[in-house]
Amino acid sequence: MAEAESAQIYEVIAPQAPLRQAPSPDAPLDTEALRGERVVVDEISDEGWAHGRLETDGYVGFLPMSALAPAGPAPTHKVTTLRTLVFPGPSIKIPPLEALPLGARLAVARNEGAFAVTASGGYLPTRHLSPIDTCESDFVAVAERFLNAPYLWGGKTSLGLDCSGLVQVTLAACGIPCPRDTVMQEPAFAKLPSPPGNLRRGDLIFWIGHVAIARDSATLIHANAFHMAVAIEPTMEAIDRIRAAGSEVTSVRRPGSAGQ
């Protein structure tokens, strides 16, 4: 890796960019950076890999330079559907250029009919975007949109995501900052004295290396390797199954409350 003279700010220009443990396409996927995210890059290799830190959650790793470009205009809007299409012109009849995931950020230059036109010339349905500071009111409802999305370690989109990615992406949609991994998420929110049998909608149930979201007092939703998908199931059934695999609930936490 060639060390840059000083750290430079790049932005993600791919729909989602893999952040890997090493500068290789075969290296494990730690997380994904979504379109419009800023990356502080301190090294760039001759093989086309950047070593950098995501500004959103501080995650550090290696990203392909092909997915990055020098930071452009600040994002003005974000994608609010699970996935939307970007067209090269103001027509849904022409082949789209790409598909962007929930949470992708864009700089919109103007509106043209039913389309928002980005600073780079892409056309997206305006109904699939909201101003960057708009927040959802129920992150559990956002999580439920991902039902049956495949499980992917390190993933953060409807093409594949993991348990902590589901929590981070859905909380972000509601304007609630959230770390990336369960080991960081668990202490980030206030611990509740309530046992798992007395849950409220939006409580987070933690195990070592896993997290689920309570839908109500009896069911939860989580991305998990047992179903290899985002699934809804009875809470106690999930707790019993995970206990049988050797793991007990470590805590119940509430998003939006400072942890300890």
Side-chain angles (χ1 to χ4, degrees), residues 131-151:
I132 199 74
D133 57 355
T134 301
C135 294
E136 299 266 4
S137 60
D138 182 358
F139 86 95
V140 184
V142 180
E144 289 168 341
R145 297 179 205 164
F146 284 91
L147 184 63
N148 297 321
Y151 180 85

Side-chain angles (χ1 to χ4, degrees), residues 95-117:
L97 299 170
E98 58 187 353
L100 300 182
L102 175 77
R105 305 173 187 183
L106 303 157
V108 172
R110 68 182 190 279
N111 289 324
E112 189 172 316
F115 291 92
V117 186

Side-chain angles (χ1 to χ4, degrees), residues 45 59 81 84 99 105 165 185 247 255:
S45 75
Y59 224 109
T81 55
T84 190
R105 305 173 187 183
Q185 290 175 352
S247 185

Side-chain angles (χ1 to χ4, degrees), residues 167 171 176-179 184-192 204 206 251-260:
V167 170
L171 285 175
I176 302 173
C178 178
M184 297 179 283
Q185 290 175 352
E186 186 168 10
F189 304 118
K191 184 176 182 179
L192 301 178
L204 299 178
F206 284 94
S251 71
V252 177
R253 306 270 172 163
R254 181 151 300 150
S257 302
Q260 59 181 19

